[in-house]
């Protein structure tokens, strides 16, 4: 872990501004796209870069905005890495979001988010808050291999259930679906059953497969060699150097996904999910000069 003073904090992504307190990750997910060379990391990925002035930068940015909206976090690096327990920078940023009456859209794989559930509940009560959780496999043994540094899927489902109990809406990212590993009807059904059971409002899925870029691909294939001997060669034969790697079962699994979501009234296209995430109550949109 190392500290930097960032020059800016907000970027535009998914139809609303977002920020990342941390750069890099210690979760060790074998498929992580953020490892890709295109993101220009100049330090080891596991050496977390901490933007120590993130709360101050966020306050400066939100204070000057004339229109309130959703503010996202977690798109490139999980806001609830282990170091957040001691640093508390994500919580301080959420406090800034609440102070200025903005909404929060938080994406994580970690149950550490429960530490801040009181604050998330308050933001939801005063403006709007949506919690997003990534689910990939219902097989707990497989989960510990492909996502070794984060809580298990079962624990994440417990987090979704607690958010539902507190009245905080949730969206699940069903991603990635790894060919020959979690691309089974049994797995997709189990994950969707959990979404239905916990009252998830939407499921983001870009298709039954994964994407690989330079940097990400090498890391993924090295993990396949360690844990699933021979599988890398199967990937290479089928996909070569392709960016998109659809599951051989993608058509059948995609139909199952859309049918299940339709049946239970769950948003299931990326466009609908992103529209839902960006929604902000009209009564909070326009700031008064007397508000802050």
């Amino acid at each position: 872990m190392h500290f930097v003073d960032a020059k800016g904090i907000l970027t535009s992504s998914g139809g609303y501004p977002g920020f990342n307190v941390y750069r890099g990750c210690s979760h060790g997910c074998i498929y992580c796209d953020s490892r890709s060379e295109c993101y220009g990391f100049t330090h080891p990925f596991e050496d977390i870069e901490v933007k120590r002035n993130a709360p101050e930068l966020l306050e400066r940015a939100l204070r000057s905005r004339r229109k309130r909206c959703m503010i996202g976090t977690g798109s490139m690096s999980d806001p609830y890495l282990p170091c957040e327990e001691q640093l508390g920078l994500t919580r301080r940023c959420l406090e800034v979001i609440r102070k200025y009456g903005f909404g929060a859209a938080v994406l994580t794989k970690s149950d550490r988010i429960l530490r801040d559930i009181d604050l998330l509940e308050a933001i939801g009560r005063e403006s709007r808050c949506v919690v997003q959780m990534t689910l990939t496999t219902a097989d707990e043994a497989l989960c510990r291999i492909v996502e070794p540094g984060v809580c298990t899927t079962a624990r994440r489902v417990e987090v979704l259930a607690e958010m539902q109990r507190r009245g905080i809406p949730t969206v699940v990212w069903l991603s990635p679906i790894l060919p020959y590993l979690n691309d089974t009807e049994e797995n997709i059904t189990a994950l969707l059953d959990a979404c239905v059971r916990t009252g998830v409002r939407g499921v983001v899925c870009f298709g039954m497969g994964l994407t690989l870029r330079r940097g990400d691909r090498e890391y993924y294939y090295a993990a396949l060699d360690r844990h699933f001997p021979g599988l890398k060669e199967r990937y290479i034969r089928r996909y070569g150097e392709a960016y998109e790697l659809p599951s051989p079962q993608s058509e059948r699994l995609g139909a199952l996904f859309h049918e299940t979501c339709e049946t239970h009234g769950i948003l299931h296209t990326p466009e609908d999910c992103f529209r839902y995430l960006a929604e902000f109550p009209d009564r909070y949109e326009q700031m008064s000069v007397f508000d802050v």
Side-chain angles (χ1 to χ4, degrees):
M1 181 172 63
H2 64 281
F3 295 84
V4 299
D5 289 316
K7 295 181 179 180
I9 193 68
L10 285 182
T11 59
S12 180
S13 176
Y16 50 89
F19 68 94
N20 290 283
V21 173
Y22 305 108
R23 193 159 186 258
C25 189
S26 56
H27 288 342
C29 301
I30 70 172
Y31 51 75
C32 180
D33 177 72
S34 293
R35 292 180 179 273
S36 302
E37 288 183 2
C38 64
Y39 298 117
F41 272 84
T42 57
H43 59 85
F45 192 72
E46 287 78 13
D47 178 15
I48 310 302
E49 182 177 284
V50 179
K51 301 173 187 176
R52 58 187 163 199
N53 60 337
E56 291 78 15
L57 288 175
L58 185 61
E59 179 151 20
R60 188 185 311 160
L62 297 189
R63 188 193 299 127
S64 65
R65 293 183 75 92
R66 300 303 302 167
K67 189 175 182 180
R68 292 171 177 158
C69 61
M70 298 297 285
I71 304 293
T73 188
S75 61
M76 287 297 295
S77 182
D78 199 307
Y80 288 99
L81 297 175
C83 59
E84 170 63 18
E85 293 183 11
Q86 290 75 43
L87 299 176
L89 292 172
T90 295
R91 184 174 180 90
R92 287 175 57 195
C93 287
L94 290 173
E95 289 169 344
V96 171
I97 289 171
R98 182 188 181 191
K99 176 180 178 180
Y100 290 97
F102 285 76
V106 184
L107 172 61
T108 184
K109 292 179 185 173
S110 174
D111 58 351
R112 294 184 186 89
I113 194 173
L114 292 175
R115 180 203 63 184
D116 294 341
I117 197 167
D118 60 326
L119 185 51
L120 297 168
E121 190 175 15
I123 293 171
R125 185 170 58 249
E126 296 163 12
S127 56
R128 186 167 186 258
C129 179
V130 182
V131 168
Q132 305 162 77
M133 187 70 68
T134 300
L135 303 180
T136 58
T137 176
D139 183 330
E140 297 294 86
L142 181 60
C143 180
R144 291 184 177 92
I145 293 173
V146 301
E147 300 165 334
V150 69
C151 64
T152 65
T153 300
R155 179 58 174 159
R156 282 176 249 172
V157 173
E158 290 176 358
V159 172
L160 291 170
E162 181 61 16
M163 294 297 165
Q164 180 191 41
R165 193 180 73 81
R166 295 290 193 104
I168 300 171
T170 55
V171 167
V172 158
W173 288 67
L174 189 66
S175 175
I177 304 303
L178 309 174
Y180 313 118
L181 288 175
N182 64 343
D183 59 338
T184 66
E185 184 172 336
E186 178 184 20
N187 181 55
I188 301 303
T189 298
L191 295 177
L192 291 175
D193 284 350
C195 292
V196 172
R197 189 169 66 251
T198 57
V200 165
R201 304 291 181 86
V203 179
V204 178
C205 180
F206 290 102
M208 297 295 166
L210 82 159
T211 59
L212 293 178
R213 293 186 174 101
R214 186 181 299 276
D216 170 23
R217 177 181 287 106
E218 290 77 6
Y219 188 82
Y220 182 65
Y221 281 171
L224 293 186
D225 279 341
R226 288 195 307 274
H227 301 290
F228 309 100
L231 188 52
K232 178 183 72 175
E233 288 72 24
R234 193 174 181 184
Y235 269 72
I236 293 170
R237 286 195 302 271
R238 184 176 183 92
Y239 302 109
E241 294 289 309
Y243 169 63
E244 295 184 356
L245 285 67
S247 162
Q249 313 300 325
S250 59
E251 186 174 340
R252 180 169 57 87
L253 296 178
L256 171 63
F257 165 68
H258 291 295
E259 181 181 345
T260 303
C261 289
E262 284 279 356
T263 299
H264 295 281
I266 297 173
L267 300 174
H268 54 97
T269 69
E271 295 79 12
D272 286 343
C273 289
F274 290 148
R275 191 178 302 114
Y276 174 77
L277 288 167
E279 287 176 1
F280 195 72
D282 290 341
R283 63 185 180 278
Y284 296 118
E285 283 185 358
Q286 191 62 45
M287 296 180 70
S288 164
V289 294
F290 301 107
D291 285 347
V292 295

